[in-house]
Amino acid sequence: MNQPSLRALIDASEGVVKADRVIRGAQLVNVCTGEIYPADVAITGDRIAATGDVSAYEGPETEIVDATGKYLTPGLIDGHLHLECSKLSVTMFADAAVRHGTTSVISGLDQFLVVAGLDGVREALREADASPMKIFWGAPFKTPYTLPETTVGFSFGPDEHAETQEWADCFGVWETVAEFVLNRDEKVLRALELAHRNRLPIFGCAPMAAKTTINALSAAGVRLDHESYTAEEALEKLRAGMSLLIRESSVAHFMNENVRTVTEFGAQSRRVGFCTDDMHVADILREGHLDKLVRMAIAAGVRPVEAIQMATLNCAEMYRIDHLVGSITPGRYADVLIVDSPESFQVERVFARGRLVAEGGRTVEAPRAPERSAALSPAFRVAPVTEDSIGVAAEGDEARVLVVEMDRTVPFVRKGVEMTLPVVDGRVRADLAQDALYVTVSERYGKNGGGTVTAMINGFGLRSGAIASSAAPDDNNIVCVGADRADMALAVNHLAEHGGGQVVVDGGEIREFLPLPVAGIVADLVPEEMAAAEDRLEAAARALGCELPSAFGYLIFLEITAIPEYAVTDLGVVNYHTQDVVDILNPAAN
């Protein structure tokens, strides 16, 4: 991020240099004091120069913005976002988010990292600098996140931390998964020790954490957490000294549960913020982004000013970036929203870095993606998949198999269920009557020969065909679920040959295909085009029989070993509790 000189900031805020624009006539929501009062705002360059009576800051060239009868709030901050999961590039995601007042996000850009390395991260950060949305980058605590380690394009450890924690663009350590702290992982502890030495905050990830786990994380210096499944868990984290991010994503809906820490349990709201984590662009376009979370909090009983604080200053303070964003105060970035009222919180105009970037729910300029380098266009090195290469080897006519089972009551959670499945020609076969389907992961980087592993899964409900995605955190290998092995082979091979994407196959035909040519995980599609493509993919998956809330939303997270209780990776099925690859033909041992 470009930083003006201290002299320039002082000159602007003393009025030595006249303002480029002044927003007049509105009520200022001062998140620092919790007040609402009449105040004009002077903007010089990309920063706030002054608030209140700013007539002395006006010059003959100053643009006057009339906001009479409206309210001014800071730009909103998403406290934890995997923006790559939107399948939009940085430019295109910014176009969707800023319409709704989100002007800053905190992200590890971890999916770019595991595919394209540090060059990919630098390229994404440069892209953000040219967009109306700022990215505050946290260096991922390590990659891959998986236990045991899966195959990725780029591994990130203490040596990389020693380099990147010195970057001006590094604002902390991202997504510190609890298991690595509890296991005293030597590389992770070294990264955290570096962060302590460099006075960088540590961001946590501890879903369904026991009190002893929360104590250990707090002792390790984890400053905040975004993964609480109950209000009681969230309260324990606050009591242990952490800050809390309430997550409301496209699939994981925790606002109404976790906001109870404030509305029912009486916890002070000033250490509570918001995040979306993973969002489908169709949901953003239909319902909003952080502005939606503000409205939800207000509807749940949070005072409007407090809800706005939670989406702005609170988040900035917990990440130690409040000297740059989070309030409409001198020297901060001129990220200003003009809203109808604090109570209804409808965003009418958005200023980012001092410029009008959105009005009436649309950006004022069409987004233009930059040219892509070779770093973000890596080749897929997947060995060709055949129908015969899919399956679990077994003897006899049937086998007792540990099947990964989708938990329909808790988002993303996978359990294990034992099933007796047929064995034909030495391979375990799918059984549609039991909803026992094939699931494969194909290693895309060619480091282990680009091979494919097979397991069995329950809960997707496909009666035929296959669905597959190369966008699949935490490693972005190709994950595929199917009822038919030939369709699965076609799906995987199609993605590998076309540089990545998401696909629905049935009866030997491509029913829907969304190309994701940027690192095989995102695309330079405008948000409306991506939303339409998502809707077509989900409709095609439903036509095959899938009844999950989001077929691809659940598919892409199957490889994450930090989610209980089982994950499927290029190593095989992993037990969340033991962090080992399990023998699915020996269920009693797991």
Side-chain angles (χ1 to χ4, degrees):
M1 297 179 188
N2 295 324
Q3 299 290 331
S5 70
L6 189 60
R7 181 180 295 274
L9 288 174
I10 295 171
D11 286 347
S13 290
E14 197 178 19
V16 174
V17 176
K18 298 304 179 184
D20 294 308
R21 58 187 49 84
V22 165
I23 303 176
R24 269 193 198 159
Q27 298 278 322
L28 174 65
V29 179
N30 191 317
V31 293
C32 297
T33 62
E35 300 173 279
I36 300 176
Y37 53 87
D40 298 338
V41 175
I43 298 171
T44 304
D46 62 359
R47 302 300 176 106
I48 301 292
T51 66
D53 178 0
V54 299
S55 55
Y57 293 78
E58 296 177 15
E61 303 298 321
T62 301
E63 174 193 357
I64 304 300
V65 178
D66 183 11
T68 301
K70 305 298 182 180
Y71 293 78
L72 306 182
T73 79
L76 307 181
I77 304 170
D78 193 328
H80 183 95
L81 176 69
H82 299 269
L83 66 86
E84 303 99 316
C85 289
S86 72
K87 301 186 292 293
L88 290 173
S89 64
V90 171
T91 298
M92 298 304 170
F93 184 87
D95 183 73
V98 297
R99 306 179 193 192
H100 297 280
T102 301
T103 53
S104 297
V105 302
I106 290 85
S107 181
L109 299 173
D110 38 6
Q111 307 313 309
F112 284 124
L113 179 66
V114 298
V115 174
L118 293 178
D119 288 341
V121 170
R122 289 189 187 96
E123 191 165 329
L125 291 173
R126 288 195 299 270
E127 188 175 349
D129 284 343
S131 84
M133 183 190 76
K134 288 171 285 298
I135 294 177
F136 291 92
W137 182 66
F141 76 102
K142 77 180 290 291
T143 66
Y145 295 164
T146 45
L147 281 173
E149 288 193 1
T150 54
T151 307
V152 294
F154 183 82
S155 296
F156 191 87
D159 292 342
E160 289 74 23
H161 270 281
E163 174 187 348
T164 58
Q165 286 190 26
E166 298 292 333
W167 289 7
D169 287 323
C170 182
F171 290 89
V173 176
W174 163 270
E175 192 86 81
T176 306
V177 174
E179 285 69 36
F180 289 83
V181 176
L182 298 180
N183 291 343
R184 281 69 164 175
D185 183 286
E186 193 58 39
K187 291 182 178 180
V188 172
L189 293 185
R190 285 170 56 197
L192 301 188
E193 287 166 352
L194 277 171
H196 288 309
R197 192 179 311 159
N198 291 324
R199 297 181 176 83
L200 290 173
I202 298 166
F203 323 149
C205 174
M208 303 182 190
K211 190 175 189 305
T212 53
T213 297
I214 294 169
N215 291 342
L217 295 174
S218 184
V222 173
R223 184 175 175 85
L224 54 94
D225 185 86
H226 71 284
E227 288 261 15
S228 295
Y229 277 62
T230 67
E232 289 78 10
E233 177 187 358
L235 184 62
E236 284 294 342
K237 290 171 180 173
L238 286 169
R239 286 173 170 173
M242 296 184 193
S243 291
L244 171 69
L245 287 168
I246 297 177
R247 175 175 62 172
E248 180 72 18
S249 76
S250 286
V251 180
H253 303 291
F254 290 107
M255 170 64 79
N256 290 334
E257 170 63 23
N258 287 337
V259 79
R260 293 172 52 225
T261 57
V262 175
T263 59
E264 292 184 26
F265 298 166
Q268 295 183 3
S269 64
R270 285 288 282 113
R271 288 178 47 243
V272 181
F274 298 142
C275 74
T276 62
D277 204 358
D278 308 294
M279 288 294 291
H280 300 159
V281 66
D283 294 335
I284 297 175
L285 297 180
R286 283 191 288 255
E287 302 173 3
H289 193 235
L290 264 291
D291 59 326
K292 171 190 171 183
L293 274 62
V294 172
R295 292 191 291 270
M296 288 183 70
I298 293 170
V302 177
R303 291 192 310 114
V305 171
E306 287 185 75
I308 295 167
Q309 287 173 325
M310 292 160 82
T312 57
L313 183 62
N314 294 10
C315 198
E317 288 182 342
M318 65 179 74
Y319 282 102
R320 299 179 185 164
I321 55 175
D322 52 303
H323 61 299
L324 298 173
V325 293
S327 62
I328 302 176
T329 49
R332 276 67 178 178
Y333 278 103
D335 299 338
V336 180
L337 310 186
I338 299 178
V339 304
D340 62 340
S341 75
E343 292 78 17
S344 55
F345 204 77
Q346 298 296 324
V347 177
E348 297 183 356
R349 280 178 278 179
V350 180
F351 290 81
R353 293 189 174 101
R355 297 186 302 109
L356 179 68
V357 297
E359 186 172 16
R362 305 287 300 182
T363 48
V364 298
E365 295 181 2
R368 291 188 295 178
E371 291 187 10
R372 300 296 173 188
S373 73
L376 289 178
S377 304
F380 279 69
R381 296 182 172 85
V382 177
V385 179
T386 65
E387 178 179 355
D388 291 338
S389 65
I390 296 173
V392 178
E395 297 178 352
D397 297 325
E398 61 182 28
R400 195 69 176 161
V401 181
L402 174 69
V403 178
V404 176
E405 180 184 44
M406 307 305 298
D407 187 331
R408 292 174 178 270
T409 61
V410 184
F412 310 133
V413 168
R414 288 89 52 164
K415 297 183 178 179
V417 60
E418 292 184 31
M419 291 185 179
T420 299
L421 299 178
V423 176
V424 180
D425 297 330
R427 298 269 179 157
V428 175
R429 291 296 174 89
D431 185 348
L432 302 190
Q434 298 186 76
D435 187 24
L437 306 176
Y438 305 103
V439 55
T440 61
V441 176
S442 301
E443 191 261 296
R444 66 175 277 193
Y445 305 102
K447 294 185 175 182
N448 294 324
T452 295
V453 301
T454 306
M456 309 304 292
I457 195 162
N458 168 269
F460 275 85
L462 302 186
R463 297 185 298 269
S464 64
I467 61 175
S469 177
S470 64
D474 288 316
D475 47 30
N476 296 297
N477 288 311
I478 298 176
V479 61
C480 180
V481 167
D484 183 89
R485 294 181 299 157
D487 286 342
M488 294 178 71
L490 174 58
V492 174
N493 292 334
H494 186 82
L495 294 185
E497 291 164 5
H498 290 81
Q502 295 184 329
V503 67
V504 178
V505 176
D506 191 33
E509 296 184 6
I510 305 296
R511 302 297 184 180
E512 287 293 340
F513 173 49
L514 169 61
L516 299 175
V518 182
I521 56 176
V522 300
D524 288 319
L525 293 178
V526 297
E528 288 77 8
E529 291 179 6
M530 179 61 77
E534 286 182 338
D535 287 344
R536 290 194 300 270
L537 283 165
E538 291 292 341
R542 287 194 298 273
L544 299 185
C546 185
E547 296 180 355
L548 290 171
S550 170
F552 282 89
Y554 279 74
L555 175 73
I556 68 173
F557 294 135
L558 289 178
E559 298 183 77
I560 299 179
T561 63
I563 298 175
E565 294 177 354
Y566 292 95
V568 188
T569 76
D570 71 297
L571 304 178
V573 175
V574 175
N575 184 313
Y576 163 86
H577 298 288
T578 63
Q579 292 144 15
D580 289 322
V581 177
V582 303
D583 179 2
I584 65 173
L585 294 180
N586 187 15
N590 301 309

